[in-house]
Amino acid sequence: MKLDITKGIQGKGIDVPFELTDVWGEDHWNGDTIAYVRPVSLSGTYMLADETVIVRGVARAVIQSPCARCLRPTETSVEAELEEAFIRDTGEPLERDEDQYLYSGHVLELDEAVRTALLLEMPTRVLCREDCRGLCDQCGADLNTTECSCQKDLTHRNPFSALASLLNEDEEV
C-alpha cells in the first residue's frame, strides 16, 4: 500500500483524507500460513508536520486461516485502528522510537504498519465455529462430520477414568 502525500505537502497541519486498497497474498501468523482472501483496505487521514507524517485510519481485511481444532480453512474479518508516525529519511542518523517508520520522497509504504495492526487484532485461536469438536487425537477423524470408534473406547483407556467415580456432583470439593 503506497500513500502519495503530495497534497499534504501543500497544506501542512491539515488532515488529508485517503482511501487505499491492495491485494495481498499469504503471510505467516502464529505458526500458520494465512491468506488475505479479499483486498485489504485502509481509509483515514494523514497530516504532515515538518518532516513527520501522522497517518490515522482503519484497516480492514478478511483473512483465511486454519481452525485451531479441526484445521478447516476459516475466514475471519479483521478490523484494526492505525495511528502511526512516519519520519523522513534524510540519510543522517535519526533519533526515533521503535514504532516510528521511515519514508523518503513523497510516497509512504504502509504495508508493514497495516499488516502489524491487522495481525495484532487477530484472535489468538481461530475457530470455524464455537462448538467445533476438532480432530480425534487417536485416528485424526474430523469429529464434526463423523463419529469414530476411538472416542467410545476413550474412557477405558484413560488412566484417570477411575478418578471420575470418586467425584459426586452434589458434594463440594
PDB file of all heavy atoms in Angstrom, residues 17-33:
ATOM      1  N   PRO A  17      -7.814  13.430   3.748  1.00  0.00           N
ATOM      2  CA  PRO A  17      -8.422  12.099   3.712  1.00  0.00           C
ATOM      3  C   PRO A  17      -7.864  11.243   2.570  1.00  0.00           C
ATOM      4  O   PRO A  17      -7.419  11.772   1.552  1.00  0.00           O
ATOM      5  CB  PRO A  17      -9.908  12.392   3.502  1.00  0.00           C
ATOM      6  CG  PRO A  17      -9.950  13.731   2.861  1.00  0.00           C
ATOM      7  CD  PRO A  17      -8.734  14.473   3.316  1.00  0.00           C
ATOM      8  N   PHE A  18      -7.900   9.923   2.771  1.00  0.00           N
ATOM      9  CA  PHE A  18      -7.456   8.996   1.732  1.00  0.00           C
ATOM     10  C   PHE A  18      -8.176   7.667   1.895  1.00  0.00           C
ATOM     11  O   PHE A  18      -8.693   7.348   2.967  1.00  0.00           O
ATOM     12  CB  PHE A  18      -5.934   8.776   1.789  1.00  0.00           C
ATOM     13  CG  PHE A  18      -5.485   8.006   2.997  1.00  0.00           C
ATOM     14  CD1 PHE A  18      -5.382   6.624   2.965  1.00  0.00           C
ATOM     15  CD2 PHE A  18      -5.172   8.662   4.184  1.00  0.00           C
ATOM     16  CE1 PHE A  18      -4.980   5.917   4.084  1.00  0.00           C
ATOM     17  CE2 PHE A  18      -4.770   7.963   5.302  1.00  0.00           C
ATOM     18  CZ  PHE A  18      -4.671   6.590   5.248  1.00  0.00           C
ATOM     19  N   GLU A  19      -8.215   6.897   0.812  1.00  0.00           N
ATOM     20  CA  GLU A  19      -8.717   5.514   0.820  1.00  0.00           C
ATOM     21  C   GLU A  19      -7.808   4.709  -0.078  1.00  0.00           C
ATOM     22  O   GLU A  19      -7.527   5.114  -1.206  1.00  0.00           O
ATOM     23  CB  GLU A  19     -10.153   5.453   0.315  1.00  0.00           C
ATOM     24  CG  GLU A  19     -11.151   5.985   1.310  1.00  0.00           C
ATOM     25  CD  GLU A  19     -12.592   5.693   0.901  1.00  0.00           C
ATOM     26  OE1 GLU A  19     -12.823   4.688   0.204  1.00  0.00           O
ATOM     27  OE2 GLU A  19     -13.454   6.476   1.290  1.00  0.00           O
ATOM     28  N   LEU A  20      -7.343   3.567   0.428  1.00  0.00           N
ATOM     29  CA  LEU A  20      -6.450   2.697  -0.330  1.00  0.00           C
ATOM     30  C   LEU A  20      -6.934   1.261  -0.256  1.00  0.00           C
ATOM     31  O   LEU A  20      -7.514   0.851   0.758  1.00  0.00           O
ATOM     32  CB  LEU A  20      -5.027   2.747   0.247  1.00  0.00           C
ATOM     33  CG  LEU A  20      -4.305   4.086   0.281  1.00  0.00           C
ATOM     34  CD1 LEU A  20      -3.028   3.968   1.090  1.00  0.00           C
ATOM     35  CD2 LEU A  20      -4.000   4.543  -1.134  1.00  0.00           C
ATOM     36  N   THR A  21      -6.694   0.496  -1.302  1.00  0.00           N
ATOM     37  CA  THR A  21      -6.908  -0.951  -1.275  1.00  0.00           C
ATOM     38  C   THR A  21      -5.726  -1.605  -1.960  1.00  0.00           C
ATOM     39  O   THR A  21      -5.097  -1.015  -2.844  1.00  0.00           O
ATOM     40  CB  THR A  21      -8.212  -1.375  -1.992  1.00  0.00           C
ATOM     41  OG1 THR A  21      -8.160  -0.936  -3.336  1.00  0.00           O
ATOM     42  CG2 THR A  21      -9.439  -0.826  -1.298  1.00  0.00           C
ATOM     43  N   ASP A  22      -5.436  -2.811  -1.541  1.00  0.00           N
ATOM     44  CA  ASP A  22      -4.327  -3.554  -2.124  1.00  0.00           C
ATOM     45  C   ASP A  22      -4.615  -5.046  -1.979  1.00  0.00           C
ATOM     46  O   ASP A  22      -5.240  -5.469  -0.997  1.00  0.00           O
ATOM     47  CB  ASP A  22      -3.023  -3.198  -1.408  1.00  0.00           C
ATOM     48  CG  ASP A  22      -1.789  -3.588  -2.200  1.00  0.00           C
ATOM     49  OD1 ASP A  22      -1.932  -4.049  -3.352  1.00  0.00           O
ATOM     50  OD2 ASP A  22      -0.680  -3.425  -1.670  1.00  0.00           O
ATOM     51  N   VAL A  23      -4.172  -5.820  -2.934  1.00  0.00           N
ATOM     52  CA  VAL A  23      -4.343  -7.271  -2.885  1.00  0.00           C
ATOM     53  C   VAL A  23      -3.069  -7.864  -2.300  1.00  0.00           C
ATOM     54  O   VAL A  23      -1.971  -7.614  -2.807  1.00  0.00           O
ATOM     55  CB  VAL A  23      -4.609  -7.839  -4.302  1.00  0.00           C
ATOM     56  CG1 VAL A  23      -4.708  -9.357  -4.254  1.00  0.00           C
ATOM     57  CG2 VAL A  23      -5.884  -7.234  -4.871  1.00  0.00           C
ATOM     58  N   TRP A  24      -3.228  -8.620  -1.226  1.00  0.00           N
ATOM     59  CA  TRP A  24      -2.101  -9.292  -0.593  1.00  0.00           C
ATOM     60  C   TRP A  24      -2.287 -10.791  -0.752  1.00  0.00           C
ATOM     61  O   TRP A  24      -3.393 -11.286  -0.863  1.00  0.00           O
ATOM     62  CB  TRP A  24      -2.024  -8.957   0.894  1.00  0.00           C
ATOM     63  CG  TRP A  24      -1.639  -7.545   1.199  1.00  0.00           C
ATOM     64  CD1 TRP A  24      -1.271  -6.572   0.314  1.00  0.00           C
ATOM     65  CD2 TRP A  24      -1.578  -6.942   2.480  1.00  0.00           C
ATOM     66  NE1 TRP A  24      -0.983  -5.413   0.954  1.00  0.00           N
ATOM     67  CE2 TRP A  24      -1.166  -5.600   2.301  1.00  0.00           C
ATOM     68  CE3 TRP A  24      -1.831  -7.380   3.768  1.00  0.00           C
ATOM     69  CZ2 TRP A  24      -0.996  -4.718   3.359  1.00  0.00           C
ATOM     70  CZ3 TRP A  24      -1.666  -6.504   4.826  1.00  0.00           C
ATOM     71  CH2 TRP A  24      -1.246  -5.190   4.626  1.00  0.00           C
ATOM     72  N   GLY A  25      -1.207 -11.516  -0.702  1.00  0.00           N
ATOM     73  CA  GLY A  25      -1.241 -12.972  -0.841  1.00  0.00           C
ATOM     74  C   GLY A  25      -1.251 -13.661   0.511  1.00  0.00           C
ATOM     75  O   GLY A  25      -2.154 -13.477   1.319  1.00  0.00           O
ATOM     76  N   GLU A  26      -0.219 -14.427   0.766  1.00  0.00           N
ATOM     77  CA  GLU A  26      -0.121 -15.183   2.009  1.00  0.00           C
ATOM     78  C   GLU A  26       0.826 -14.493   2.982  1.00  0.00           C
ATOM     79  O   GLU A  26       1.655 -13.684   2.603  1.00  0.00           O
ATOM     80  CB  GLU A  26       0.377 -16.601   1.728  1.00  0.00           C
ATOM     81  CG  GLU A  26      -0.614 -17.433   0.949  1.00  0.00           C
ATOM     82  CD  GLU A  26      -0.142 -18.861   0.766  1.00  0.00           C
ATOM     83  OE1 GLU A  26       1.073 -19.140   0.907  1.00  0.00           O
ATOM     84  OE2 GLU A  26      -0.995 -19.703   0.465  1.00  0.00           O
ATOM     85  N   ASP A  27       0.680 -14.893   4.249  1.00  0.00           N
ATOM     86  CA  ASP A  27       1.505 -14.365   5.321  1.00  0.00           C
ATOM     87  C   ASP A  27       1.654 -15.478   6.352  1.00  0.00           C
ATOM     88  O   ASP A  27       1.001 -16.525   6.251  1.00  0.00           O
ATOM     89  CB  ASP A  27       0.812 -13.144   5.947  1.00  0.00           C
ATOM     90  CG  ASP A  27       1.785 -12.189   6.617  1.00  0.00           C
ATOM     91  OD1 ASP A  27       2.948 -12.564   6.834  1.00  0.00           O
ATOM     92  OD2 ASP A  27       1.366 -11.063   6.922  1.00  0.00           O
ATOM     93  N   HIS A  28       2.475 -15.270   7.339  1.00  0.00           N
ATOM     94  CA  HIS A  28       2.631 -16.245   8.421  1.00  0.00           C
ATOM     95  C   HIS A  28       2.228 -15.587   9.725  1.00  0.00           C
ATOM     96  O   HIS A  28       2.595 -14.450  10.000  1.00  0.00           O
ATOM     97  CB  HIS A  28       4.078 -16.737   8.499  1.00  0.00           C
ATOM     98  CG  HIS A  28       4.492 -17.457   7.264  1.00  0.00           C
ATOM     99  ND1 HIS A  28       4.090 -18.736   6.979  1.00  0.00           N
ATOM    100  CD2 HIS A  28       5.241 -17.058   6.215  1.00  0.00           C
ATOM    101  CE1 HIS A  28       4.575 -19.100   5.815  1.00  0.00           C
ATOM    102  NE2 HIS A  28       5.281 -18.095   5.328  1.00  0.00           N
ATOM    103  N   TRP A  29       1.438 -16.315  10.505  1.00  0.00           N
ATOM    104  CA  TRP A  29       0.942 -15.797  11.774  1.00  0.00           C
ATOM    105  C   TRP A  29       0.725 -16.967  12.722  1.00  0.00           C
ATOM    106  O   TRP A  29       0.100 -17.963  12.361  1.00  0.00           O
ATOM    107  CB  TRP A  29      -0.373 -15.041  11.549  1.00  0.00           C
ATOM    108  CG  TRP A  29      -1.083 -14.662  12.795  1.00  0.00           C
ATOM    109  CD1 TRP A  29      -0.807 -13.628  13.628  1.00  0.00           C
ATOM    110  CD2 TRP A  29      -2.192 -15.337  13.381  1.00  0.00           C
ATOM    111  NE1 TRP A  29      -1.671 -13.613  14.683  1.00  0.00           N
ATOM    112  CE2 TRP A  29      -2.534 -14.659  14.554  1.00  0.00           C
ATOM    113  CE3 TRP A  29      -2.920 -16.469  13.020  1.00  0.00           C
ATOM    114  CZ2 TRP A  29      -3.576 -15.062  15.370  1.00  0.00           C
ATOM    115  CZ3 TRP A  29      -3.960 -16.863  13.831  1.00  0.00           C
ATOM    116  CH2 TRP A  29      -4.272 -16.153  14.994  1.00  0.00           C
ATOM    117  N   ASN A  30       1.262 -16.869  13.917  1.00  0.00           N
ATOM    118  CA  ASN A  30       1.049 -17.871  14.959  1.00  0.00           C
ATOM    119  C   ASN A  30       1.453 -19.279  14.500  1.00  0.00           C
ATOM    120  O   ASN A  30       0.810 -20.248  14.856  1.00  0.00           O
ATOM    121  CB  ASN A  30      -0.410 -17.864  15.384  1.00  0.00           C
ATOM    122  CG  ASN A  30      -0.577 -17.675  16.872  1.00  0.00           C
ATOM    123  OD1 ASN A  30       0.380 -17.433  17.590  1.00  0.00           O
ATOM    124  ND2 ASN A  30      -1.806 -17.785  17.324  1.00  0.00           N
ATOM    125  N   GLY A  31       2.460 -19.386  13.653  1.00  0.00           N
ATOM    126  CA  GLY A  31       2.905 -20.685  13.170  1.00  0.00           C
ATOM    127  C   GLY A  31       2.105 -21.230  12.002  1.00  0.00           C
ATOM    128  O   GLY A  31       2.376 -22.336  11.533  1.00  0.00           O
ATOM    129  N   ASP A  32       1.102 -20.518  11.531  1.00  0.00           N
ATOM    130  CA  ASP A  32       0.258 -20.963  10.423  1.00  0.00           C
ATOM    131  C   ASP A  32       0.463 -20.060   9.213  1.00  0.00           C
ATOM    132  O   ASP A  32       0.855 -18.900   9.338  1.00  0.00           O
ATOM    133  CB  ASP A  32      -1.229 -20.905  10.805  1.00  0.00           C
ATOM    134  CG  ASP A  32      -1.602 -21.933  11.853  1.00  0.00           C
ATOM    135  OD1 ASP A  32      -1.088 -23.064  11.779  1.00  0.00           O
ATOM    136  OD2 ASP A  32      -2.406 -21.603  12.740  1.00  0.00           O
ATOM    137  N   THR A  33       0.154 -20.601   8.051  1.00  0.00           N
ATOM    138  CA  THR A  33       0.117 -19.791   6.842  1.00  0.00           C
ATOM    139  C   THR A  33      -1.303 -19.271   6.696  1.00  0.00           C
ATOM    140  O   THR A  33      -2.263 -20.043   6.756  1.00  0.00           O
ATOM    141  CB  THR A  33       0.506 -20.625   5.606  1.00  0.00           C
ATOM    142  OG1 THR A  33       1.836 -21.108   5.796  1.00  0.00           O
ATOM    143  CG2 THR A  33       0.438 -19.794   4.349  1.00  0.00           C
TER     144      THR A  33
END
